[in-house]
Amino acid sequence: MPAAAEFEVLNVADPYDCTTNPTTGLTSPTRGVVSVYRRPLPATNLGFLSTIMWDGREPDLFSQAADATLVHAQAGAAPGLAQRRQIVAFEGCTRADTPAACATTPPGAGLFTAQIYDDQARWLADGGAEGGPASLARQVTRFFIGANDPLGGNPSGAPFTSQVFTLYDAWDPASGAGAGAARAAIARGEQVFNSVKFNITGVGGLNDALGQPIISGFCGTCHDTPNAGDHSVKAPLNIGVADAGANTPPVLDLTGLPIFSLWCVSGPLAGQIFAVTDPGRALITGKCADIGKLKGPILRGLAARAPYFHNGSAKTLADVVEFYNQRFTIGLTDQQKADLVAFLNAL
Ligand code: HEC
């Protein structure tokens, strides 16, 4: 629990007894340890990150390396300066890392992962396409914080474009049979991602931050980093994945997750109660306004790492697409859903 949080933990439905156990968990509604279940994020493609960890708790990879060694790896002591530099040099720096941490690896070096082959569409960098990690490693040199920020934060002054992914522009979206048909589906799915407009409503950190109850947007309004798909500036958002209330889109499977009832006792939301499987960024800031806020992760290499979302509540990419279709009443056709899934599988 963060010190001086605006909320108290009223109650936890706690299938693994971690948070309710007096040794490992809370010692009172305001003190002790809250245990949440988050999928590990890939330790690759890091040069595209604007936010480290789901809730942005780490300022840079230098500090992440120390905390992961102490907490996740349960070491007795943090690694020294030289070792932390070696870890970060191996992973590749982010734009948030200090020059000292990046001494031997400029942002843009390091490890890259992306889908490289599809059973039907075959090699994803063939025929003028730019799938796979080699093209991604070239792309990172053009990334900077705010690279395609829809909220006007692009330091170059360039306007936002919803055409976030251009990897499969060269493939014919109307092609016929065999590998051609599979490539056409991927190319059409890219167009759905880039061009299908829908109303974004009720997203904490976006609609309220802009004072716009309805934003006519795209997948890329939140997944705006060109050909990577994370947010190009820090933007903790609540799209409803952590909600355990009546509003949770039915496609999400919350089985096995704890459900916290958080009672806001101070601050602008005092008096309200939130039911969530994870307090999200509020675990860092203690603010009720940050309950359920998480980052939009990088969308490369997705096929290899089901289940999806921070808590694994979407079993497949088809469930992810169905979540968005239900949550924002997009009205995707079966064809558009299948094409979008084919595209996401090719990232
Ligand atoms: C309003 C902002 C917003 C919009 C619009 C949006 N996303 Fe997301 N997306 C997010 C956030 C935030 C997360 C992380 C949520 C979580 O895990 O709790 C996410 C997660 C995902 C993930 C899961 C990645 C992983 O590693 O688990 C996929 C896939 C994805 N989005 C695809 C899409 C597609 C496709 C669309 C368009 C139909 C879309 N998103 C529209 C904000 C958005």
Side-chain angles (χ1 to χ4, degrees):
M1 283 290 287
E6 289 176 354
F7 55 88
E8 295 183 0
V9 181
L10 207 56
N11 181 39
V12 199
D14 193 16
Y16 300 107
D17 293 332
C18 290
T19 301
T20 39
N21 181 308
T23 314
T24 59
L26 290 173
T27 51
S28 83
T30 55
R31 277 185 217 289
V33 179
V34 170
S35 286
V36 293
Y37 295 83
R38 297 178 182 170
R39 291 169 51 235
L41 288 155
T44 60
N45 307 334
L46 299 175
F48 289 103
L49 288 185
S50 58
T51 305
I52 300 168
M53 313 300 276
W54 283 106
D55 55 14
R57 65 177 56 214
E58 293 290 353
D60 54 43
L61 291 178
F62 205 55
S63 140
Q64 200 277 338
D67 289 342
T69 309
L70 288 170
V71 181
H72 291 150
Q74 302 184 342
L81 215 64
Q83 263 183 332
R84 279 191 266 165
R85 272 196 195 131
Q86 286 165 2
I87 292 173
V88 178
F90 171 66
E91 294 174 314
C93 282
T94 71
R95 261 74 183 164
D97 282 289
T98 56
C102 296
T104 49
T105 317
L111 304 172
F112 293 88
T113 47
Q115 190 70 17
I116 198 167
Y117 186 83
D118 176 281
D119 281 349
Q120 272 88 46
R122 315 256 173 78
W123 294 104
L124 297 172
D126 267 4
E130 291 194 89
S135 138
L136 189 60
R138 290 192 295 275
Q139 180 80 29
V140 81
T141 59
R142 297 195 287 277
F143 175 73
F144 49 91
I145 295 294
N148 185 30
D149 181 18
L151 310 183
N154 188 337
S156 82
F160 166 71
T161 170
S162 74
Q163 306 294 304
V164 169
F165 285 96
T166 54
L167 305 173
Y168 298 108
D169 285 5
W171 283 357
D172 180 0
S175 171
R183 290 181 178 189
I186 291 171
R188 286 193 305 270
E190 183 182 78
Q191 292 175 354
V192 172
F193 189 97
N194 287 342
S195 303
V196 168
K197 247 189 169 176
F198 52 91
N199 287 336
I200 300 172
T201 56
V203 174
L206 191 63
N207 295 93
D208 51 354
L210 294 178
Q212 296 177 22
I214 300 176
I215 296 169
S216 175
F218 306 88
C219 297
T221 302
C222 302
H223 297 284
D224 65 279
T225 299
N227 291 322
D230 56 328
H231 206 88
S232 66
V233 298
K234 283 186 202 307
L237 299 175
N238 181 357
I239 61 170
V241 172
D243 275 358
N247 294 335
T248 314
V251 66
L252 296 185
D253 178 3
L254 307 184
T255 315
L257 292 171
I259 296 176
F260 301 89
S261 297
L262 305 178
W263 178 32
C264 296
V265 292
S266 62
L269 301 178
Q272 295 196 32
I273 294 176
F274 295 87
V276 286
T277 56
D278 187 325
R281 184 149 174 82
L283 271 188
I284 307 303
T285 64
K287 299 250 178 282
C288 283
D290 287 335
I291 291 173
K293 284 187 184 167
L294 296 135
K295 75 165 177 177
I298 290 173
L299 299 182
R300 300 305 299 266
L302 286 173
R305 54 192 177 89
Y308 302 98
F309 292 134
H310 71 278
N311 56 12
S313 57
K315 284 203 176 73
T316 61
L317 288 169
D319 285 356
V320 169
V321 167
E322 198 49 50
F323 163 80
Y324 284 109
N325 201 44
Q326 292 176 355
R327 169 68 178 79
F328 296 116
T329 1
I330 308 180
L332 292 171
T333 64
D334 287 350
Q335 177 78 61
Q336 284 175 318
K337 288 181 197 170
D339 291 344
L340 189 50
V341 169
F343 166 68
L344 295 171
N345 266 318
L347 287 176

